[in-house]
Amino acid sequence: MTQPHGNPYPSSGQQPQAPAYQPMPPQGSYQGPWPSQLPSGTFPGMPVVGLKRPVSLSVAFWLMVAYGVLPLLSIPFIIEWAEAYMRDSIAMAAAESGRTVPPGFMQQFTSMMTPMAWVSGIIGAGIALLLGLGLRAGMNWVRILLTVWAGLSLLSTVGSFALMAALGLPAQLMFPLPAGAYAVSFATVALFLAAVVVSWLPSSSRYVAARRAAKLGGGYLR
C-alpha cells in the first residue's frame, strides 16, 4: 500500500525522534556549580578536597600565644624592682626634707601596684591570643595590623636608643630594670617578630588568598 502523499513516516506509527543536541545556554550566563552545590570547604575553581591550613599559620598562632604569656614571667621582677626603687626614692626624699615616711606606705603601694600589673599582663595575653587566632584563621587584616605594629615598635625602639646614646645617659638610667626583665622583653620581641615573618611565608599567603576566595564564593576552608 502506498503511503499518503506528504507523510514522511511509515504506517507502523513510529514518531519522530527528538534532536540529539541540547540547546545552547544564553551567552554570558554562569552554569555553576553554585556554592550551595559544592561540598563544604570548597569554592569554584578549587579541588573538592579543599585546602588544609598550613603548618606555618599554626606556628604563628603558638608564637603569638608565647608572646602573650611570656611577659607574665617578668611581672615579679618588675614588682620587686618597683618596690626597691620606691623605697630608696622615698627614703632619700625623707632624708632631704627631714620628714618620716608614714607607716604602712610601702605595703599600701605594693597592694595597689601588684593587682594592676597582673591585670594588665593578663589583658595583654588575651589580646595576643585573639590576634593569634586571627592569624591561624588566615585573616589578612590581622597580619597587616601586626606588621604595621612591628614596624612602628622597631622604629620607636631604635629612636629611643639613638636619643639616649646622643644624650650620653649612663647605663643605669638606660637600663634601670633587672636583667631578668630585659631578657624576657627581648625574648618577647623575638617571638612577635617571628610570628609576623611566619605569617607572610608563601604557604601562609596561599591559604590567606584561598580563604578570601572561599569567602567570596560562599564557602569556607577547614
Side-chain angles (χ1 to χ4, degrees):
M1 178 183 296
T2 60
Q3 300 296 331
H5 179 71
N7 185 6
Y9 305 104
S11 59
S12 59
Q14 183 179 2
Q15 299 297 324
Q17 299 294 326
Y21 62 89
Q22 296 294 330
M24 296 296 293
Q27 186 175 4
S29 63
Y30 178 68
Q31 299 303 310
W34 299 100
S36 59
Q37 300 172 333
L38 294 170
S40 61
T42 61
F43 58 92
M46 177 180 175
V48 177
V49 296
L51 183 64
K52 294 183 179 180
R53 180 182 296 107
V55 178
S56 56
L57 288 181
S58 298
V59 171
F61 165 73
W62 287 110
L63 288 173
M64 288 299 298
V65 171
Y67 163 76
V69 173
L70 190 59
L72 298 177
L73 301 179
S74 65
I75 291 180
F77 297 102
I78 296 176
I79 293 176
E80 181 181 359
W81 169 83
E83 289 179 354
Y85 178 80
M86 286 296 298
R87 188 181 300 110
D88 295 341
S89 299
I90 292 174
M92 185 180 300
E96 292 177 356
S97 61
R99 298 179 180 179
T100 58
V101 180
F105 177 80
M106 287 304 304
Q107 289 77 3
Q108 183 179 5
F109 171 77
T110 303
S111 63
M112 293 176 58
M113 184 187 65
T114 301
M116 293 177 59
W118 282 106
V119 169
S120 61
I122 292 173
I123 292 176
I127 294 175
L129 175 61
L130 292 177
L131 293 174
L133 289 173
L135 287 180
R136 185 176 181 272
M139 296 181 179
N140 192 45
W141 68 268
V142 174
R143 64 176 185 170
I144 292 176
L145 175 64
L146 293 179
T147 303
V148 174
W149 187 1
L152 294 177
S153 300
L154 287 177
L155 289 177
S156 176
T157 302
V158 172
S160 299
F161 280 117
L163 179 61
M164 289 186 293
L167 295 176
L169 297 178
Q172 293 181 350
L173 292 179
M174 295 177 64
F175 305 100
L177 296 177
Y182 288 108
V184 172
S185 178
F186 288 136
T188 302
V189 172
L191 290 171
F192 178 72
L193 294 179
V196 174
V197 171
V198 170
S199 68
W200 285 99
L201 291 179
S203 58
S204 302
S205 297
R206 284 194 297 269
Y207 184 83
V208 170
R211 180 185 183 276
R212 187 186 303 114
K215 187 176 181 180
L216 295 175
Y220 62 93
L221 299 182
R222 290 185 288 271

mmCIF file of all heavy atoms in Angstrom, residues 31-80:
data_model
loop_
_atom_site.group_PDB
_atom_site.id
_atom_site.type_symbol
_atom_site.label_atom_id
_atom_site.label_comp_id
_atom_site.label_asym_id
_atom_site.label_seq_id
_atom_site.Cartn_x
_atom_site.Cartn_y
_atom_site.Cartn_z
ATOM 1 N N GLN A 31 26.969 28.793 34.515
ATOM 2 C CA GLN A 31 26.329 27.488 34.541
ATOM 3 C C GLN A 31 26.700 26.664 35.770
ATOM 4 O O GLN A 31 26.511 25.457 35.783
ATOM 5 C CB GLN A 31 26.722 26.722 33.274
ATOM 6 C CG GLN A 31 26.277 27.407 31.999
ATOM 7 C CD GLN A 31 24.767 27.641 31.966
ATOM 8 O OE1 GLN A 31 23.998 26.721 32.214
ATOM 9 N NE2 GLN A 31 24.348 28.864 31.688
ATOM 10 N N GLY A 32 27.285 27.308 36.791
ATOM 11 C CA GLY A 32 27.589 26.586 38.026
ATOM 12 C C GLY A 32 28.971 25.955 37.987
ATOM 13 O O GLY A 32 29.737 26.163 37.055
ATOM 14 N N PRO A 33 29.303 25.241 39.024
ATOM 15 C CA PRO A 33 28.438 24.920 40.158
ATOM 16 C C PRO A 33 28.254 26.107 41.099
ATOM 17 O O PRO A 33 29.156 26.926 41.246
ATOM 18 C CB PRO A 33 29.201 23.792 40.869
ATOM 19 C CG PRO A 33 30.642 24.067 40.543
ATOM 20 C CD PRO A 33 30.642 24.639 39.152
ATOM 21 N N TRP A 34 27.080 26.188 41.717
ATOM 22 C CA TRP A 34 26.817 27.234 42.680
ATOM 23 C C TRP A 34 27.377 26.829 44.032
ATOM 24 O O TRP A 34 27.581 25.646 44.305
ATOM 25 C CB TRP A 34 25.310 27.492 42.779
ATOM 26 C CG TRP A 34 24.725 27.932 41.476
ATOM 27 C CD1 TRP A 34 24.046 27.162 40.594
ATOM 28 C CD2 TRP A 34 24.815 29.234 40.901
ATOM 29 N NE1 TRP A 34 23.673 27.893 39.498
ATOM 30 C CE2 TRP A 34 24.139 29.183 39.661
ATOM 31 C CE3 TRP A 34 25.384 30.429 41.303
ATOM 32 C CZ2 TRP A 34 24.031 30.289 38.835
ATOM 33 C CZ3 TRP A 34 25.270 31.534 40.488
ATOM 34 C CH2 TRP A 34 24.605 31.460 39.269
ATOM 35 N N PRO A 35 27.674 27.809 44.909
ATOM 36 C CA PRO A 35 28.254 27.462 46.216
ATOM 37 C C PRO A 35 27.436 26.446 46.995
ATOM 38 O O PRO A 35 27.979 25.601 47.703
ATOM 39 C CB PRO A 35 28.302 28.819 46.930
ATOM 40 C CG PRO A 35 28.403 29.818 45.821
ATOM 41 C CD PRO A 35 27.585 29.247 44.696
ATOM 42 N N SER A 36 26.094 26.502 46.889
ATOM 43 C CA SER A 36 25.259 25.556 47.618
ATOM 44 C C SER A 36 25.375 24.130 47.073
ATOM 45 O O SER A 36 25.003 23.175 47.742
ATOM 46 C CB SER A 36 23.794 26.002 47.567
ATOM 47 O OG SER A 36 23.345 26.077 46.212
ATOM 48 N N GLN A 37 25.893 23.982 45.837
ATOM 49 C CA GLN A 37 26.052 22.669 45.240
ATOM 50 C C GLN A 37 27.420 22.058 45.501
ATOM 51 O O GLN A 37 27.674 20.930 45.091
ATOM 52 C CB GLN A 37 25.825 22.755 43.722
ATOM 53 C CG GLN A 37 24.439 23.264 43.348
ATOM 54 C CD GLN A 37 24.316 23.533 41.855
ATOM 55 O OE1 GLN A 37 25.309 23.824 41.198
ATOM 56 N NE2 GLN A 37 23.111 23.436 41.333
ATOM 57 N N LEU A 38 28.303 22.798 46.172
ATOM 58 C CA LEU A 38 29.661 22.326 46.408
ATOM 59 C C LEU A 38 29.789 21.779 47.819
ATOM 60 O O LEU A 38 29.084 22.205 48.733
ATOM 61 C CB LEU A 38 30.657 23.485 46.227
ATOM 62 C CG LEU A 38 30.773 24.037 44.815
ATOM 63 C CD1 LEU A 38 31.587 25.303 44.840
ATOM 64 C CD2 LEU A 38 31.388 23.022 43.882
ATOM 65 N N PRO A 39 30.716 20.835 48.036
ATOM 66 C CA PRO A 39 30.964 20.373 49.405
ATOM 67 C C PRO A 39 31.499 21.505 50.265
ATOM 68 O O PRO A 39 32.112 22.449 49.771
ATOM 69 C CB PRO A 39 32.015 19.260 49.217
ATOM 70 C CG PRO A 39 31.954 18.908 47.767
ATOM 71 C CD PRO A 39 31.509 20.140 47.045
ATOM 72 N N SER A 40 31.245 21.424 51.556
ATOM 73 C CA SER A 40 31.745 22.452 52.461
ATOM 74 C C SER A 40 33.264 22.472 52.432
ATOM 75 O O SER A 40 33.918 21.443 52.370
ATOM 76 C CB SER A 40 31.266 22.174 53.889
ATOM 77 O OG SER A 40 31.754 20.927 54.340
ATOM 78 N N GLY A 41 33.807 23.687 52.513
ATOM 79 C CA GLY A 41 35.251 23.841 52.474
ATOM 80 C C GLY A 41 35.808 23.995 51.086
ATOM 81 O O GLY A 41 37.010 23.955 50.896
ATOM 82 N N THR A 42 34.965 24.160 50.056
ATOM 83 C CA THR A 42 35.438 24.341 48.697
ATOM 84 C C THR A 42 34.788 25.567 48.096
ATOM 85 O O THR A 42 33.859 26.145 48.646
ATOM 86 C CB THR A 42 35.106 23.113 47.830
ATOM 87 O OG1 THR A 42 33.679 22.950 47.795
ATOM 88 C CG2 THR A 42 35.722 21.853 48.410
ATOM 89 N N PHE A 43 35.299 25.969 46.956
ATOM 90 C CA PHE A 43 34.739 27.086 46.215
ATOM 91 C C PHE A 43 35.010 26.850 44.740
ATOM 92 O O PHE A 43 35.854 26.010 44.388
ATOM 93 C CB PHE A 43 35.333 28.423 46.676
ATOM 94 C CG PHE A 43 36.823 28.508 46.545
ATOM 95 C CD1 PHE A 43 37.412 29.009 45.399
ATOM 96 C CD2 PHE A 43 37.643 28.077 47.567
ATOM 97 C CE1 PHE A 43 38.779 29.098 45.275
ATOM 98 C CE2 PHE A 43 39.020 28.158 47.453
ATOM 99 C CZ PHE A 43 39.579 28.668 46.309
ATOM 100 N N PRO A 44 34.303 27.535 43.844
ATOM 101 C CA PRO A 44 34.513 27.296 42.413
ATOM 102 C C PRO A 44 35.964 27.478 42.009
ATOM 103 O O PRO A 44 36.607 28.462 42.362
ATOM 104 C CB PRO A 44 33.617 28.369 41.763
ATOM 105 C CG PRO A 44 32.563 28.621 42.774
ATOM 106 C CD PRO A 44 33.227 28.481 44.114
ATOM 107 N N GLY A 45 36.475 26.523 41.260
ATOM 108 C CA GLY A 45 37.862 26.559 40.807
ATOM 109 C C GLY A 45 38.827 25.880 41.748
ATOM 110 O O GLY A 45 40.010 25.765 41.450
ATOM 111 N N MET A 46 38.346 25.418 42.911
ATOM 112 C CA MET A 46 39.212 24.773 43.895
ATOM 113 C C MET A 46 38.948 23.274 43.896
ATOM 114 O O MET A 46 37.808 22.856 43.717
ATOM 115 C CB MET A 46 38.925 25.352 45.281
ATOM 116 C CG MET A 46 39.715 24.716 46.399
ATOM 117 S SD MET A 46 39.295 25.475 47.972
ATOM 118 C CE MET A 46 40.249 24.440 49.065
ATOM 119 N N PRO A 47 39.966 22.428 44.090
ATOM 120 C CA PRO A 47 39.719 20.985 44.167
ATOM 121 C C PRO A 47 38.729 20.657 45.271
ATOM 122 O O PRO A 47 38.666 21.331 46.290
ATOM 123 C CB PRO A 47 41.119 20.416 44.473
ATOM 124 C CG PRO A 47 42.059 21.452 43.975
ATOM 125 C CD PRO A 47 41.381 22.774 44.164
ATOM 126 N N VAL A 48 37.984 19.595 45.064
ATOM 127 C CA VAL A 48 36.936 19.243 46.014
ATOM 128 C C VAL A 48 37.509 18.891 47.380
ATOM 129 O O VAL A 48 36.866 19.077 48.403
ATOM 130 C CB VAL A 48 36.113 18.070 45.447
ATOM 131 C CG1 VAL A 48 35.046 17.622 46.422
ATOM 132 C CG2 VAL A 48 35.475 18.471 44.122
ATOM 133 N N VAL A 49 38.734 18.404 47.438
ATOM 134 C CA VAL A 49 39.308 18.005 48.715
ATOM 135 C C VAL A 49 39.565 19.199 49.623
ATOM 136 O O VAL A 49 39.783 19.036 50.808
ATOM 137 C CB VAL A 49 40.626 17.226 48.493
ATOM 138 C CG1 VAL A 49 40.364 15.930 47.766
ATOM 139 C CG2 VAL A 49 41.622 18.068 47.703
ATOM 140 N N GLY A 50 39.546 20.416 49.113
ATOM 141 C CA GLY A 50 39.756 21.599 49.929
ATOM 142 C C GLY A 50 41.230 21.884 50.147
ATOM 143 O O GLY A 50 42.106 21.163 49.687
ATOM 144 N N LEU A 51 41.497 22.949 50.876
ATOM 145 C CA LEU A 51 42.862 23.379 51.170
ATOM 146 C C LEU A 51 43.032 23.401 52.680
ATOM 147 O O LEU A 51 42.349 24.143 53.374
ATOM 148 C CB LEU A 51 43.120 24.770 50.594
ATOM 149 C CG LEU A 51 44.537 25.322 50.773
ATOM 150 C CD1 LEU A 51 45.523 24.455 50.013
ATOM 151 C CD2 LEU A 51 44.615 26.762 50.287
ATOM 152 N N LYS A 52 43.934 22.568 53.192
ATOM 153 C CA LYS A 52 44.143 22.482 54.622
ATOM 154 C C LYS A 52 44.991 23.654 55.103
ATOM 155 O O LYS A 52 45.776 24.224 54.357
ATOM 156 C CB LYS A 52 44.817 21.161 54.979
ATOM 157 C CG LYS A 52 43.959 19.939 54.711
ATOM 158 C CD LYS A 52 44.655 18.670 55.156
ATOM 159 C CE LYS A 52 43.777 17.444 54.912
ATOM 160 N NZ LYS A 52 44.450 16.192 55.333
ATOM 161 N N ARG A 53 44.825 23.961 56.377
ATOM 162 C CA ARG A 53 45.590 25.053 56.982
ATOM 163 C C ARG A 53 47.065 24.672 57.009
ATOM 164 O O ARG A 53 47.433 23.580 57.465
ATOM 165 C CB ARG A 53 45.084 25.321 58.392
ATOM 166 C CG ARG A 53 45.823 26.463 59.105
ATOM 167 C CD ARG A 53 45.316 26.658 60.522
ATOM 168 N NE ARG A 53 43.921 27.078 60.500
ATOM 169 C CZ ARG A 53 42.910 26.302 60.840
ATOM 170 N NH1 ARG A 53 43.125 25.039 61.195
ATOM 171 N NH2 ARG A 53 41.667 26.745 60.817
ATOM 172 N N PRO A 54 47.960 25.547 56.562
ATOM 173 C CA PRO A 54 49.384 25.205 56.553
ATOM 174 C C PRO A 54 49.963 25.216 57.962
ATOM 175 O O PRO A 54 49.439 25.865 58.879
ATOM 176 C CB PRO A 54 50.003 26.314 55.686
ATOM 177 C CG PRO A 54 49.070 27.467 55.838
ATOM 178 C CD PRO A 54 47.698 26.873 55.963
ATOM 179 N N VAL A 55 51.065 24.525 58.111
ATOM 180 C CA VAL A 55 51.737 24.457 59.407
ATOM 181 C C VAL A 55 52.258 25.831 59.821
ATOM 182 O O VAL A 55 52.312 26.160 61.012
ATOM 183 C CB VAL A 55 52.892 23.431 59.341
ATOM 184 C CG1 VAL A 55 53.638 23.368 60.666
ATOM 185 C CG2 VAL A 55 52.352 22.053 58.983
ATOM 186 N N SER A 56 52.609 26.656 58.846
ATOM 187 C CA SER A 56 53.173 27.966 59.162
ATOM 188 C C SER A 56 52.200 28.828 59.966
ATOM 189 O O SER A 56 52.609 29.533 60.901
ATOM 190 C CB SER A 56 53.566 28.688 57.870
ATOM 191 O OG SER A 56 52.453 28.789 56.997
ATOM 192 N N LEU A 57 50.907 28.787 59.643
ATOM 193 C CA LEU A 57 49.945 29.581 60.395
ATOM 194 C C LEU A 57 49.713 29.010 61.788
ATOM 195 O O LEU A 57 49.468 29.760 62.740
ATOM 196 C CB LEU A 57 48.623 29.667 59.630
ATOM 197 C CG LEU A 57 48.639 30.541 58.376
ATOM 198 C CD1 LEU A 57 47.274 30.577 57.717
ATOM 199 C CD2 LEU A 57 49.099 31.957 58.721
ATOM 200 N N SER A 58 49.791 27.697 61.929
ATOM 201 C CA SER A 58 49.706 27.113 63.273
ATOM 202 C C SER A 58 50.916 27.513 64.114
ATOM 203 O O SER A 58 50.784 27.806 65.314
ATOM 204 C CB SER A 58 49.609 25.587 63.177
ATOM 205 O OG SER A 58 48.433 25.193 62.491
ATOM 206 N N VAL A 59 52.080 27.559 63.488
ATOM 207 C CA VAL A 59 53.285 28.003 64.201
ATOM 208 C C VAL A 59 53.148 29.472 64.600
ATOM 209 O O VAL A 59 53.512 29.862 65.720
ATOM 210 C CB VAL A 59 54.531 27.778 63.326
ATOM 211 C CG1 VAL A 59 55.766 28.431 63.956
ATOM 212 C CG2 VAL A 59 54.777 26.291 63.120
ATOM 213 N N ALA A 60 52.622 30.300 63.701
ATOM 214 C CA ALA A 60 52.414 31.710 64.016
ATOM 215 C C ALA A 60 51.457 31.866 65.201
ATOM 216 O O ALA A 60 51.647 32.743 66.051
ATOM 217 C CB ALA A 60 51.884 32.451 62.797
ATOM 218 N N PHE A 61 50.435 31.026 65.264
ATOM 219 C CA PHE A 61 49.489 31.084 66.379
ATOM 220 C C PHE A 61 50.188 30.799 67.702
ATOM 221 O O PHE A 61 50.029 31.552 68.679
ATOM 222 C CB PHE A 61 48.361 30.080 66.143
ATOM 223 C CG PHE A 61 47.534 29.795 67.365
ATOM 224 C CD1 PHE A 61 46.639 30.739 67.852
ATOM 225 C CD2 PHE A 61 47.668 28.589 68.044
ATOM 226 C CE1 PHE A 61 45.890 30.476 68.991
ATOM 227 C CE2 PHE A 61 46.919 28.323 69.169
ATOM 228 C CZ PHE A 61 46.026 29.273 69.648
ATOM 229 N N TRP A 62 50.986 29.733 67.756
ATOM 230 C CA TRP A 62 51.640 29.389 69.008
ATOM 231 C C TRP A 62 52.720 30.404 69.372
ATOM 232 O O TRP A 62 53.001 30.634 70.571
ATOM 233 C CB TRP A 62 52.221 27.991 68.929
ATOM 234 C CG TRP A 62 51.161 26.934 68.971
ATOM 235 C CD1 TRP A 62 50.765 26.106 67.955
ATOM 236 C CD2 TRP A 62 50.325 26.603 70.091
ATOM 237 N NE1 TRP A 62 49.738 25.287 68.369
ATOM 238 C CE2 TRP A 62 49.446 25.572 69.669
ATOM 239 C CE3 TRP A 62 50.233 27.089 71.395
ATOM 240 C CZ2 TRP A 62 48.500 25.017 70.534
ATOM 241 C CZ3 TRP A 62 49.285 26.534 72.242
ATOM 242 C CH2 TRP A 62 48.442 25.523 71.818
ATOM 243 N N LEU A 63 53.342 31.012 68.393
ATOM 244 C CA LEU A 63 54.297 32.085 68.690
ATOM 245 C C LEU A 63 53.594 33.274 69.331
ATOM 246 O O LEU A 63 54.128 33.908 70.255
ATOM 247 C CB LEU A 63 55.008 32.515 67.408
ATOM 248 C CG LEU A 63 56.037 31.535 66.841
ATOM 249 C CD1 LEU A 63 56.533 32.013 65.481
ATOM 250 C CD2 LEU A 63 57.212 31.364 67.796
ATOM 251 N N MET A 64 52.385 33.588 68.859
ATOM 252 C CA MET A 64 51.628 34.684 69.464
ATOM 253 C C MET A 64 51.163 34.319 70.872
ATOM 254 O O MET A 64 51.117 35.189 71.759
ATOM 255 C CB MET A 64 50.432 35.028 68.587
ATOM 256 C CG MET A 64 50.788 35.740 67.298
ATOM 257 S SD MET A 64 51.604 37.341 67.587
ATOM 258 C CE MET A 64 50.313 38.231 68.466
ATOM 259 N N VAL A 65 50.839 33.054 71.092
ATOM 260 C CA VAL A 65 50.474 32.624 72.445
ATOM 261 C C VAL A 65 51.662 32.798 73.397
ATOM 262 O O VAL A 65 51.532 33.323 74.518
ATOM 263 C CB VAL A 65 49.988 31.163 72.437
ATOM 264 C CG1 VAL A 65 49.823 30.637 73.856
ATOM 265 C CG2 VAL A 65 48.666 31.051 71.683
ATOM 266 N N ALA A 66 52.841 32.366 72.960
ATOM 267 C CA ALA A 66 54.040 32.547 73.779
ATOM 268 C C ALA A 66 54.357 34.020 73.973
ATOM 269 O O ALA A 66 54.808 34.427 75.060
ATOM 270 C CB ALA A 66 55.220 31.828 73.115
ATOM 271 N N TYR A 67 54.117 34.823 72.942
ATOM 272 C CA TYR A 67 54.338 36.263 73.040
ATOM 273 C C TYR A 67 53.449 36.893 74.107
ATOM 274 O O TYR A 67 53.861 37.847 74.786
ATOM 275 C CB TYR A 67 54.072 36.904 71.669
ATOM 276 C CG TYR A 67 53.857 38.390 71.707
ATOM 277 C CD1 TYR A 67 54.925 39.260 71.870
ATOM 278 C CD2 TYR A 67 52.585 38.929 71.559
ATOM 279 C CE1 TYR A 67 54.730 40.631 71.897
ATOM 280 C CE2 TYR A 67 52.376 40.290 71.579
ATOM 281 C CZ TYR A 67 53.443 41.137 71.747
ATOM 282 O OH TYR A 67 53.237 42.491 71.782
ATOM 283 N N GLY A 68 52.233 36.379 74.257
ATOM 284 C CA GLY A 68 51.337 36.938 75.263
ATOM 285 C C GLY A 68 51.589 36.402 76.662
ATOM 286 O O GLY A 68 51.385 37.125 77.651
ATOM 287 N N VAL A 69 52.040 35.152 76.779
ATOM 288 C CA VAL A 69 52.211 34.528 78.092
ATOM 289 C C VAL A 69 53.566 34.865 78.700
ATOM 290 O O VAL A 69 53.679 35.048 79.929
ATOM 291 C CB VAL A 69 52.030 33.000 77.967
ATOM 292 C CG1 VAL A 69 52.368 32.309 79.276
ATOM 293 C CG2 VAL A 69 50.596 32.685 77.551
ATOM 294 N N LEU A 70 54.602 34.979 77.881
ATOM 295 C CA LEU A 70 55.959 35.172 78.408
ATOM 296 C C LEU A 70 56.108 36.447 79.245
ATOM 297 O O LEU A 70 56.798 36.416 80.272
ATOM 298 C CB LEU A 70 56.961 35.169 77.251
ATOM 299 C CG LEU A 70 58.441 35.116 77.638
ATOM 300 C CD1 LEU A 70 58.731 33.860 78.451
ATOM 301 C CD2 LEU A 70 59.322 35.155 76.392
ATOM 302 N N PRO A 71 55.496 37.587 78.879
ATOM 303 C CA PRO A 71 55.649 38.778 79.729
ATOM 304 C C PRO A 71 55.126 38.590 81.149
ATOM 305 O O PRO A 71 55.549 39.332 82.056
ATOM 306 C CB PRO A 71 54.846 39.849 78.988
ATOM 307 C CG PRO A 71 54.864 39.419 77.571
ATOM 308 C CD PRO A 71 54.816 37.927 77.621
ATOM 309 N N LEU A 72 54.227 37.644 81.351
ATOM 310 C CA LEU A 72 53.742 37.407 82.715
ATOM 311 C C LEU A 72 54.872 36.948 83.632
ATOM 312 O O LEU A 72 54.817 37.169 84.850
ATOM 313 C CB LEU A 72 52.628 36.352 82.697
ATOM 314 C CG LEU A 72 51.370 36.711 81.897
ATOM 315 C CD1 LEU A 72 50.388 35.553 81.911
ATOM 316 C CD2 LEU A 72 50.709 37.968 82.444
ATOM 317 N N LEU A 73 55.907 36.330 83.045
ATOM 318 C CA LEU A 73 57.040 35.873 83.857
ATOM 319 C C LEU A 73 57.869 37.033 84.377
ATOM 320 O O LEU A 73 58.583 36.873 85.384
ATOM 321 C CB LEU A 73 57.925 34.929 83.032
ATOM 322 C CG LEU A 73 57.248 33.671 82.473
ATOM 323 C CD1 LEU A 73 58.240 32.865 81.659
ATOM 324 C CD2 LEU A 73 56.656 32.834 83.590
ATOM 325 N N SER A 74 57.823 38.179 83.699
ATOM 326 C CA SER A 74 58.627 39.322 84.131
ATOM 327 C C SER A 74 57.930 40.188 85.168
ATOM 328 O O SER A 74 58.564 41.096 85.729
ATOM 329 C CB SER A 74 58.982 40.193 82.917
ATOM 330 O OG SER A 74 57.817 40.760 82.346
ATOM 331 N N ILE A 75 56.659 39.935 85.440
ATOM 332 C CA ILE A 75 55.928 40.789 86.395
ATOM 333 C C ILE A 75 56.543 40.721 87.789
ATOM 334 O O ILE A 75 56.707 41.768 88.447
ATOM 335 C CB ILE A 75 54.437 40.400 86.404
ATOM 336 C CG1 ILE A 75 53.798 40.803 85.079
ATOM 337 C CG2 ILE A 75 53.707 41.069 87.572
ATOM 338 C CD1 ILE A 75 52.327 40.467 84.973
ATOM 339 N N PRO A 76 56.908 39.547 88.317
ATOM 340 C CA PRO A 76 57.549 39.549 89.650
ATOM 341 C C PRO A 76 58.839 40.363 89.687
ATOM 342 O O PRO A 76 59.103 41.056 90.687
ATOM 343 C CB PRO A 76 57.814 38.059 89.914
ATOM 344 C CG PRO A 76 56.801 37.340 89.093
ATOM 345 C CD PRO A 76 56.659 38.169 87.857
ATOM 346 N N PHE A 77 59.654 40.312 88.611
ATOM 347 C CA PHE A 77 60.879 41.114 88.586
ATOM 348 C C PHE A 77 60.553 42.605 88.610
ATOM 349 O O PHE A 77 61.215 43.376 89.318
ATOM 350 C CB PHE A 77 61.692 40.786 87.335
ATOM 351 C CG PHE A 77 62.180 39.375 87.261
ATOM 352 C CD1 PHE A 77 61.548 38.446 86.461
ATOM 353 C CD2 PHE A 77 63.272 38.956 88.013
ATOM 354 C CE1 PHE A 77 61.988 37.144 86.387
ATOM 355 C CE2 PHE A 77 63.728 37.650 87.954
ATOM 356 C CZ PHE A 77 63.081 36.740 87.140
ATOM 357 N N ILE A 78 59.531 43.002 87.854
ATOM 358 C CA ILE A 78 59.184 44.418 87.788
ATOM 359 C C ILE A 78 58.632 44.895 89.130
ATOM 360 O O ILE A 78 58.953 46.008 89.598
ATOM 361 C CB ILE A 78 58.170 44.658 86.651
ATOM 362 C CG1 ILE A 78 58.812 44.336 85.308
ATOM 363 C CG2 ILE A 78 57.655 46.087 86.669
ATOM 364 C CD1 ILE A 78 57.872 44.440 84.131
ATOM 365 N N ILE A 79 57.814 44.077 89.784
ATOM 366 C CA ILE A 79 57.262 44.464 91.081
ATOM 367 C C ILE A 79 58.377 44.607 92.115
ATOM 368 O O ILE A 79 58.415 45.573 92.903
ATOM 369 C CB ILE A 79 56.208 43.436 91.540
ATOM 370 C CG1 ILE A 79 54.992 43.483 90.618
ATOM 371 C CG2 ILE A 79 55.795 43.694 92.982
ATOM 372 C CD1 ILE A 79 53.947 42.443 90.930
ATOM 373 N N GLU A 80 59.300 43.657 92.090
ATOM 374 C CA GLU A 80 60.425 43.732 93.040
ATOM 375 C C GLU A 80 61.268 44.974 92.794
ATOM 376 O O GLU A 80 61.670 45.673 93.749
ATOM 377 C CB GLU A 80 61.275 42.473 92.908
ATOM 378 C CG GLU A 80 62.456 42.422 93.864
ATOM 379 C CD GLU A 80 63.286 41.169 93.679
ATOM 380 O OE1 GLU A 80 62.918 40.329 92.817
ATOM 381 O OE2 GLU A 80 64.316 41.022 94.369
#
